[in-house]
Amino acid sequence: MNRPVQRVIIIALAVLLVVPLGAVGLGQLLGPDPEEQAVENPENRPTVDPAEQPPRPDLPRPEEPAGLTEQSAEGAQATLTYLLESYDYMMSSGDVSVWEGSTDPNCEVCVRFLGNAETLAEQGGYLVDGAFVVHSAAFEGTGEPPATGTVIADFTQEESILVDDPNLQANQLSEVTGQLIATVAWDGERWRVTDMTIAPPEDEAGVPSDSGGAKG
């Protein structure tokens, strides 16, 4: 029974899946228009023998840091760091439980993100490389101990290869650096991400860019 492959809109930086397109000028932040990098028309790509695709990585399931269950600034920062650093495991294995455990089920962008990861796995797709490095994370919360707050993380995602359809040429994705902003809430046992977005570049936020010289 041949059913058409369900198309997944997987953007070069998968974090873009959690950001409403156009909301924060992602084209300027990350280069080409995300829709140009989306896998919307795979028929335009050459077909390949699935055996010639780069092999699916066999990554170990990441262990949860103790901080996920600590109602502190360090715990909130550890939660977002864990999500990002476990991303390549989720996208290569299709195991979304690592993210489900630290995201709020009412977080619309998180649900959409997880849905895309699951559909990618159902299609036999996976990500090769694409690991995140979190350079720094900062938390600003409310309450003592904090019950809600915001975590800002500066990150780099290494270049990667996205195999969205084993029968089609894989997508080469470039390294990306950016800043992720996540709202978090303590649910009585652990921190959960309730929303995520990518910060606009400094020049879009009203701060002159260091490059090219600012007008006085």
Side-chain angles (χ1 to χ4, degrees):
M1 197 175 180
N2 283 334
R3 77 176 169 85
V5 177
Q6 185 178 1
R7 302 305 178 199
V8 181
I9 307 304
I10 299 288
I11 311 300
L13 174 65
V15 167
L16 296 186
L17 294 173
V18 305
V19 184
L21 295 181
V24 290
L26 293 175
Q28 282 116 333
L29 176 62
L30 299 175
D33 184 337
E35 292 189 2
E36 293 180 5
Q37 299 183 41
V39 185
E40 292 181 305
N41 299 301
E43 291 82 2
N44 294 336
R45 286 180 286 151
T47 58
V48 297
D49 182 342
E52 297 177 357
Q53 296 281 19
R56 181 193 298 269
D58 183 16
L59 301 178
R61 180 187 172 89
E63 294 185 10
E64 294 187 354
L68 299 189
T69 56
E70 295 177 1
Q71 191 175 359
S72 63
E74 292 74 19
Q77 292 164 193
T79 297
L80 183 59
T81 298
Y82 172 70
L83 282 184
L84 291 177
E85 293 183 348
S86 64
Y87 167 79
D88 56 339
Y89 164 78
M90 179 177 72
M91 295 298 285
S92 63
S93 68
D95 179 6
V96 299
S97 65
V98 291
W99 272 54
E100 286 178 329
S102 293
T103 57
D104 189 289
N106 294 316
C107 172
E108 293 183 8
V109 291
C110 304
V111 170
R112 187 166 74 247
F113 196 110
L114 291 168
N116 275 275
E118 289 178 319
T119 304
L120 177 67
E122 289 170 1
Q123 294 179 183
Y126 52 91
L127 189 74
V128 179
D129 299 325
F132 278 86
V133 176
V134 177
H135 304 293
S136 64
F139 173 74
E140 189 170 316
T142 56
E144 187 56 47
T148 59
T150 301
V151 181
I152 300 177
D154 294 313
F155 70 86
T156 297
Q157 184 190 19
E158 69 178 21
E159 62 183 17
S160 57
I161 300 173
L162 176 66
V163 180
D164 63 302
D165 184 330
N167 296 296
L168 296 171
Q169 186 179 68
N171 300 271
Q172 303 287 330
L173 309 180
S174 301
E175 179 182 283
V176 180
T177 295
Q179 187 177 76
L180 188 68
I181 302 172
T183 56
V184 296
W186 179 257
D187 71 356
E189 297 181 352
R190 63 190 297 157
W191 289 99
R192 290 186 181 274
V193 172
T194 58
D195 198 9
M196 288 190 285
T197 188
I198 291 179
E202 288 188 345
D203 54 350
E204 289 195 9
V207 179
S209 172
D210 290 335
S211 61
K215 294 181 180 179

PDB file of all heavy atoms in Angstrom, residues 101-130:
ATOM      1  N   GLY A 101       9.184  15.329  28.946  1.00  0.00           N
ATOM      2  CA  GLY A 101       9.333  15.412  30.389  1.00  0.00           C
ATOM      3  C   GLY A 101       9.647  16.792  30.917  1.00  0.00           C
ATOM      4  O   GLY A 101       9.474  17.055  32.112  1.00  0.00           O
ATOM      5  N   SER A 102      10.107  17.696  30.044  1.00  0.00           N
ATOM      6  CA  SER A 102      10.487  19.029  30.502  1.00  0.00           C
ATOM      7  C   SER A 102       9.743  20.146  29.780  1.00  0.00           C
ATOM      8  O   SER A 102      10.158  21.299  29.838  1.00  0.00           O
ATOM      9  CB  SER A 102      12.006  19.232  30.329  1.00  0.00           C
ATOM     10  OG  SER A 102      12.726  18.378  31.190  1.00  0.00           O
ATOM     11  N   THR A 103       8.655  19.812  29.103  1.00  0.00           N
ATOM     12  CA  THR A 103       7.845  20.830  28.444  1.00  0.00           C
ATOM     13  C   THR A 103       6.410  20.733  28.943  1.00  0.00           C
ATOM     14  O   THR A 103       5.929  19.648  29.265  1.00  0.00           O
ATOM     15  CB  THR A 103       7.871  20.689  26.911  1.00  0.00           C
ATOM     16  OG1 THR A 103       7.433  19.372  26.546  1.00  0.00           O
ATOM     17  CG2 THR A 103       9.264  20.938  26.368  1.00  0.00           C
ATOM     18  N   ASP A 104       5.752  21.872  28.997  1.00  0.00           N
ATOM     19  CA  ASP A 104       4.365  21.909  29.436  1.00  0.00           C
ATOM     20  C   ASP A 104       3.465  21.429  28.301  1.00  0.00           C
ATOM     21  O   ASP A 104       3.625  21.860  27.156  1.00  0.00           O
ATOM     22  CB  ASP A 104       3.992  23.335  29.844  1.00  0.00           C
ATOM     23  CG  ASP A 104       2.641  23.409  30.519  1.00  0.00           C
ATOM     24  OD1 ASP A 104       1.630  23.226  29.812  1.00  0.00           O
ATOM     25  OD2 ASP A 104       2.595  23.660  31.732  1.00  0.00           O
ATOM     26  N   PRO A 105       2.501  20.529  28.577  1.00  0.00           N
ATOM     27  CA  PRO A 105       1.631  20.040  27.506  1.00  0.00           C
ATOM     28  C   PRO A 105       0.767  21.130  26.879  1.00  0.00           C
ATOM     29  O   PRO A 105       0.219  20.936  25.791  1.00  0.00           O
ATOM     30  CB  PRO A 105       0.765  18.979  28.201  1.00  0.00           C
ATOM     31  CG  PRO A 105       0.864  19.286  29.662  1.00  0.00           C
ATOM     32  CD  PRO A 105       2.231  19.859  29.865  1.00  0.00           C
ATOM     33  N   ASN A 106       0.636  22.276  27.545  1.00  0.00           N
ATOM     34  CA  ASN A 106      -0.126  23.391  26.983  1.00  0.00           C
ATOM     35  C   ASN A 106       0.748  24.374  26.207  1.00  0.00           C
ATOM     36  O   ASN A 106       0.256  25.400  25.732  1.00  0.00           O
ATOM     37  CB  ASN A 106      -0.855  24.147  28.102  1.00  0.00           C
ATOM     38  CG  ASN A 106      -1.920  23.293  28.767  1.00  0.00           C
ATOM     39  OD1 ASN A 106      -2.685  22.606  28.093  1.00  0.00           O
ATOM     40  ND2 ASN A 106      -1.964  23.315  30.087  1.00  0.00           N
ATOM     41  N   CYS A 107       2.020  24.060  26.083  1.00  0.00           N
ATOM     42  CA  CYS A 107       2.941  24.907  25.315  1.00  0.00           C
ATOM     43  C   CYS A 107       2.755  24.591  23.831  1.00  0.00           C
ATOM     44  O   CYS A 107       3.190  23.549  23.338  1.00  0.00           O
ATOM     45  CB  CYS A 107       4.379  24.638  25.741  1.00  0.00           C
ATOM     46  SG  CYS A 107       5.633  25.450  24.732  1.00  0.00           S
ATOM     47  N   GLU A 108       2.073  25.485  23.118  1.00  0.00           N
ATOM     48  CA  GLU A 108       1.730  25.211  21.725  1.00  0.00           C
ATOM     49  C   GLU A 108       2.958  25.006  20.856  1.00  0.00           C
ATOM     50  O   GLU A 108       2.995  24.099  20.016  1.00  0.00           O
ATOM     51  CB  GLU A 108       0.879  26.356  21.168  1.00  0.00           C
ATOM     52  CG  GLU A 108      -0.507  26.455  21.805  1.00  0.00           C
ATOM     53  CD  GLU A 108      -1.339  27.546  21.173  1.00  0.00           C
ATOM     54  OE1 GLU A 108      -0.901  28.116  20.153  1.00  0.00           O
ATOM     55  OE2 GLU A 108      -2.433  27.822  21.699  1.00  0.00           O
ATOM     56  N   VAL A 109       3.964  25.843  21.041  1.00  0.00           N
ATOM     57  CA  VAL A 109       5.148  25.706  20.198  1.00  0.00           C
ATOM     58  C   VAL A 109       5.884  24.411  20.513  1.00  0.00           C
ATOM     59  O   VAL A 109       6.446  23.766  19.626  1.00  0.00           O
ATOM     60  CB  VAL A 109       6.079  26.924  20.356  1.00  0.00           C
ATOM     61  CG1 VAL A 109       5.446  28.155  19.771  1.00  0.00           C
ATOM     62  CG2 VAL A 109       6.461  27.158  21.807  1.00  0.00           C
ATOM     63  N   CYS A 110       5.869  23.992  21.783  1.00  0.00           N
ATOM     64  CA  CYS A 110       6.526  22.733  22.150  1.00  0.00           C
ATOM     65  C   CYS A 110       5.802  21.549  21.522  1.00  0.00           C
ATOM     66  O   CYS A 110       6.429  20.626  21.007  1.00  0.00           O
ATOM     67  CB  CYS A 110       6.544  22.578  23.666  1.00  0.00           C
ATOM     68  SG  CYS A 110       7.320  23.936  24.569  1.00  0.00           S
ATOM     69  N   VAL A 111       4.465  21.584  21.570  1.00  0.00           N
ATOM     70  CA  VAL A 111       3.669  20.500  20.981  1.00  0.00           C
ATOM     71  C   VAL A 111       3.922  20.409  19.486  1.00  0.00           C
ATOM     72  O   VAL A 111       4.057  19.317  18.918  1.00  0.00           O
ATOM     73  CB  VAL A 111       2.169  20.721  21.267  1.00  0.00           C
ATOM     74  CG1 VAL A 111       1.324  19.756  20.464  1.00  0.00           C
ATOM     75  CG2 VAL A 111       1.890  20.560  22.760  1.00  0.00           C
ATOM     76  N   ARG A 112       3.996  21.563  18.824  1.00  0.00           N
ATOM     77  CA  ARG A 112       4.261  21.561  17.380  1.00  0.00           C
ATOM     78  C   ARG A 112       5.654  21.005  17.091  1.00  0.00           C
ATOM     79  O   ARG A 112       5.851  20.239  16.144  1.00  0.00           O
ATOM     80  CB  ARG A 112       4.116  22.979  16.815  1.00  0.00           C
ATOM     81  CG  ARG A 112       4.204  23.022  15.294  1.00  0.00           C
ATOM     82  CD  ARG A 112       3.735  24.349  14.755  1.00  0.00           C
ATOM     83  NE  ARG A 112       4.693  25.422  14.989  1.00  0.00           N
ATOM     84  CZ  ARG A 112       4.483  26.460  15.798  1.00  0.00           C
ATOM     85  NH1 ARG A 112       3.363  26.555  16.475  1.00  0.00           N
ATOM     86  NH2 ARG A 112       5.396  27.399  15.937  1.00  0.00           N
ATOM     87  N   PHE A 113       6.606  21.386  17.921  1.00  0.00           N
ATOM     88  CA  PHE A 113       7.971  20.906  17.768  1.00  0.00           C
ATOM     89  C   PHE A 113       8.019  19.383  17.900  1.00  0.00           C
ATOM     90  O   PHE A 113       8.609  18.678  17.069  1.00  0.00           O
ATOM     91  CB  PHE A 113       8.837  21.561  18.847  1.00  0.00           C
ATOM     92  CG  PHE A 113      10.305  21.474  18.598  1.00  0.00           C
ATOM     93  CD1 PHE A 113      11.030  22.607  18.262  1.00  0.00           C
ATOM     94  CD2 PHE A 113      10.981  20.281  18.721  1.00  0.00           C
ATOM     95  CE1 PHE A 113      12.390  22.549  18.050  1.00  0.00           C
ATOM     96  CE2 PHE A 113      12.347  20.193  18.518  1.00  0.00           C
ATOM     97  CZ  PHE A 113      13.054  21.331  18.179  1.00  0.00           C
ATOM     98  N   LEU A 114       7.386  18.859  18.949  1.00  0.00           N
ATOM     99  CA  LEU A 114       7.386  17.413  19.177  1.00  0.00           C
ATOM    100  C   LEU A 114       6.665  16.679  18.054  1.00  0.00           C
ATOM    101  O   LEU A 114       7.093  15.597  17.639  1.00  0.00           O
ATOM    102  CB  LEU A 114       6.725  17.116  20.524  1.00  0.00           C
ATOM    103  CG  LEU A 114       7.520  17.569  21.763  1.00  0.00           C
ATOM    104  CD1 LEU A 114       6.647  17.493  23.002  1.00  0.00           C
ATOM    105  CD2 LEU A 114       8.769  16.740  21.937  1.00  0.00           C
ATOM    106  N   GLY A 115       5.575  17.269  17.563  1.00  0.00           N
ATOM    107  CA  GLY A 115       4.836  16.640  16.473  1.00  0.00           C
ATOM    108  C   GLY A 115       5.680  16.497  15.223  1.00  0.00           C
ATOM    109  O   GLY A 115       5.635  15.465  14.538  1.00  0.00           O
ATOM    110  N   ASN A 116       6.473  17.515  14.916  1.00  0.00           N
ATOM    111  CA  ASN A 116       7.353  17.432  13.747  1.00  0.00           C
ATOM    112  C   ASN A 116       8.424  16.369  13.940  1.00  0.00           C
ATOM    113  O   ASN A 116       8.760  15.637  13.009  1.00  0.00           O
ATOM    114  CB  ASN A 116       8.004  18.789  13.487  1.00  0.00           C
ATOM    115  CG  ASN A 116       7.128  19.695  12.664  1.00  0.00           C
ATOM    116  OD1 ASN A 116       7.114  19.639  11.451  1.00  0.00           O
ATOM    117  ND2 ASN A 116       6.363  20.530  13.339  1.00  0.00           N
ATOM    118  N   ALA A 117       8.967  16.270  15.151  1.00  0.00           N
ATOM    119  CA  ALA A 117       9.987  15.257  15.422  1.00  0.00           C
ATOM    120  C   ALA A 117       9.410  13.857  15.267  1.00  0.00           C
ATOM    121  O   ALA A 117      10.053  12.960  14.708  1.00  0.00           O
ATOM    122  CB  ALA A 117      10.556  15.450  16.824  1.00  0.00           C
ATOM    123  N   GLU A 118       8.184  13.666  15.752  1.00  0.00           N
ATOM    124  CA  GLU A 118       7.541  12.354  15.634  1.00  0.00           C
ATOM    125  C   GLU A 118       7.253  12.005  14.178  1.00  0.00           C
ATOM    126  O   GLU A 118       7.460  10.867  13.747  1.00  0.00           O
ATOM    127  CB  GLU A 118       6.243  12.341  16.441  1.00  0.00           C
ATOM    128  CG  GLU A 118       6.462  12.355  17.941  1.00  0.00           C
ATOM    129  CD  GLU A 118       5.160  12.398  18.718  1.00  0.00           C
ATOM    130  OE1 GLU A 118       4.250  13.147  18.299  1.00  0.00           O
ATOM    131  OE2 GLU A 118       5.046  11.681  19.725  1.00  0.00           O
ATOM    132  N   THR A 119       6.773  12.990  13.415  1.00  0.00           N
ATOM    133  CA  THR A 119       6.455  12.719  12.017  1.00  0.00           C
ATOM    134  C   THR A 119       7.712  12.419  11.221  1.00  0.00           C
ATOM    135  O   THR A 119       7.720  11.547  10.344  1.00  0.00           O
ATOM    136  CB  THR A 119       5.710  13.917  11.400  1.00  0.00           C
ATOM    137  OG1 THR A 119       4.558  14.193  12.176  1.00  0.00           O
ATOM    138  CG2 THR A 119       5.295  13.618   9.972  1.00  0.00           C
ATOM    139  N   LEU A 120       8.786  13.124  11.517  1.00  0.00           N
ATOM    140  CA  LEU A 120      10.060  12.848  10.855  1.00  0.00           C
ATOM    141  C   LEU A 120      10.453  11.401  11.077  1.00  0.00           C
ATOM    142  O   LEU A 120      10.840  10.692  10.141  1.00  0.00           O
ATOM    143  CB  LEU A 120      11.144  13.787  11.381  1.00  0.00           C
ATOM    144  CG  LEU A 120      12.551  13.576  10.824  1.00  0.00           C
ATOM    145  CD1 LEU A 120      12.598  13.921   9.332  1.00  0.00           C
ATOM    146  CD2 LEU A 120      13.575  14.399  11.597  1.00  0.00           C
ATOM    147  N   ALA A 121      10.330  10.924  12.316  1.00  0.00           N
ATOM    148  CA  ALA A 121      10.687   9.538  12.634  1.00  0.00           C
ATOM    149  C   ALA A 121       9.773   8.555  11.914  1.00  0.00           C
ATOM    150  O   ALA A 121      10.222   7.513  11.423  1.00  0.00           O
ATOM    151  CB  ALA A 121      10.628   9.322  14.143  1.00  0.00           C
ATOM    152  N   GLU A 122       8.476   8.873  11.835  1.00  0.00           N
ATOM    153  CA  GLU A 122       7.518   7.986  11.159  1.00  0.00           C
ATOM    154  C   GLU A 122       7.856   7.825   9.685  1.00  0.00           C
ATOM    155  O   GLU A 122       7.576   6.793   9.070  1.00  0.00           O
ATOM    156  CB  GLU A 122       6.108   8.541  11.307  1.00  0.00           C
ATOM    157  CG  GLU A 122       5.558   8.436  12.725  1.00  0.00           C
ATOM    158  CD  GLU A 122       4.267   9.208  12.894  1.00  0.00           C
ATOM    159  OE1 GLU A 122       3.802   9.814  11.895  1.00  0.00           O
ATOM    160  OE2 GLU A 122       3.726   9.223  14.012  1.00  0.00           O
ATOM    161  N   GLN A 123       8.465   8.864   9.101  1.00  0.00           N
ATOM    162  CA  GLN A 123       8.838   8.819   7.681  1.00  0.00           C
ATOM    163  C   GLN A 123      10.180   8.132   7.461  1.00  0.00           C
ATOM    164  O   GLN A 123      10.650   8.038   6.331  1.00  0.00           O
ATOM    165  CB  GLN A 123       8.910  10.240   7.117  1.00  0.00           C
ATOM    166  CG  GLN A 123       7.575  10.932   7.093  1.00  0.00           C
ATOM    167  CD  GLN A 123       7.656  12.348   6.550  1.00  0.00           C
ATOM    168  OE1 GLN A 123       6.661  13.042   6.521  1.00  0.00           O
ATOM    169  NE2 GLN A 123       8.814  12.793   6.110  1.00  0.00           N
ATOM    170  N   GLY A 124      10.801   7.680   8.551  1.00  0.00           N
ATOM    171  CA  GLY A 124      12.101   7.052   8.418  1.00  0.00           C
ATOM    172  C   GLY A 124      13.225   8.064   8.355  1.00  0.00           C
ATOM    173  O   GLY A 124      14.345   7.730   7.974  1.00  0.00           O
ATOM    174  N   GLY A 125      12.935   9.309   8.715  1.00  0.00           N
ATOM    175  CA  GLY A 125      13.944  10.354   8.668  1.00  0.00           C
ATOM    176  C   GLY A 125      14.698  10.495   9.981  1.00  0.00           C
ATOM    177  O   GLY A 125      14.296   9.969  11.013  1.00  0.00           O
ATOM    178  N   TYR A 126      15.785  11.253   9.925  1.00  0.00           N
ATOM    179  CA  TYR A 126      16.620  11.453  11.110  1.00  0.00           C
ATOM    180  C   TYR A 126      17.627  12.567  10.842  1.00  0.00           C
ATOM    181  O   TYR A 126      17.823  12.997   9.694  1.00  0.00           O
ATOM    182  CB  TYR A 126      17.356  10.169  11.491  1.00  0.00           C
ATOM    183  CG  TYR A 126      18.135   9.539  10.351  1.00  0.00           C
ATOM    184  CD1 TYR A 126      19.475   9.858  10.119  1.00  0.00           C
ATOM    185  CD2 TYR A 126      17.517   8.639   9.476  1.00  0.00           C
ATOM    186  CE1 TYR A 126      20.181   9.283   9.070  1.00  0.00           C
ATOM    187  CE2 TYR A 126      18.210   8.062   8.427  1.00  0.00           C
ATOM    188  CZ  TYR A 126      19.544   8.384   8.227  1.00  0.00           C
ATOM    189  OH  TYR A 126      20.231   7.828   7.180  1.00  0.00           O
ATOM    190  N   LEU A 127      18.258  13.010  11.894  1.00  0.00           N
ATOM    191  CA  LEU A 127      19.279  14.053  11.806  1.00  0.00           C
ATOM    192  C   LEU A 127      20.639  13.464  12.121  1.00  0.00           C
ATOM    193  O   LEU A 127      20.771  12.642  13.036  1.00  0.00           O
ATOM    194  CB  LEU A 127      18.960  15.178  12.796  1.00  0.00           C
ATOM    195  CG  LEU A 127      19.823  16.447  12.678  1.00  0.00           C
ATOM    196  CD1 LEU A 127      19.406  17.253  11.449  1.00  0.00           C
ATOM    197  CD2 LEU A 127      19.683  17.308  13.933  1.00  0.00           C
ATOM    198  N   VAL A 128      21.642  13.875  11.364  1.00  0.00           N
ATOM    199  CA  VAL A 128      23.024  13.473  11.610  1.00  0.00           C
ATOM    200  C   VAL A 128      23.784  14.705  12.101  1.00  0.00           C
ATOM    201  O   VAL A 128      23.777  15.739  11.435  1.00  0.00           O
ATOM    202  CB  VAL A 128      23.693  12.921  10.336  1.00  0.00           C
ATOM    203  CG1 VAL A 128      25.139  12.528  10.618  1.00  0.00           C
ATOM    204  CG2 VAL A 128      22.904  11.736   9.795  1.00  0.00           C
ATOM    205  N   ASP A 129      24.416  14.591  13.251  1.00  0.00           N
ATOM    206  CA  ASP A 129      25.102  15.717  13.902  1.00  0.00           C
ATOM    207  C   ASP A 129      24.061  16.759  14.342  1.00  0.00           C
ATOM    208  O   ASP A 129      22.981  16.383  14.735  1.00  0.00           O
ATOM    209  CB  ASP A 129      26.170  16.307  12.979  1.00  0.00           C
ATOM    210  CG  ASP A 129      27.249  15.293  12.621  1.00  0.00           C
ATOM    211  OD1 ASP A 129      27.594  14.466  13.475  1.00  0.00           O
ATOM    212  OD2 ASP A 129      27.728  15.322  11.467  1.00  0.00           O
ATOM    213  N   GLY A 130      24.391  18.043  14.295  1.00  0.00           N
ATOM    214  CA  GLY A 130      23.438  19.054  14.720  1.00  0.00           C
ATOM    215  C   GLY A 130      23.337  19.225  16.224  1.00  0.00           C
ATOM    216  O   GLY A 130      22.329  19.695  16.740  1.00  0.00           O
TER     217      GLY A 130
END
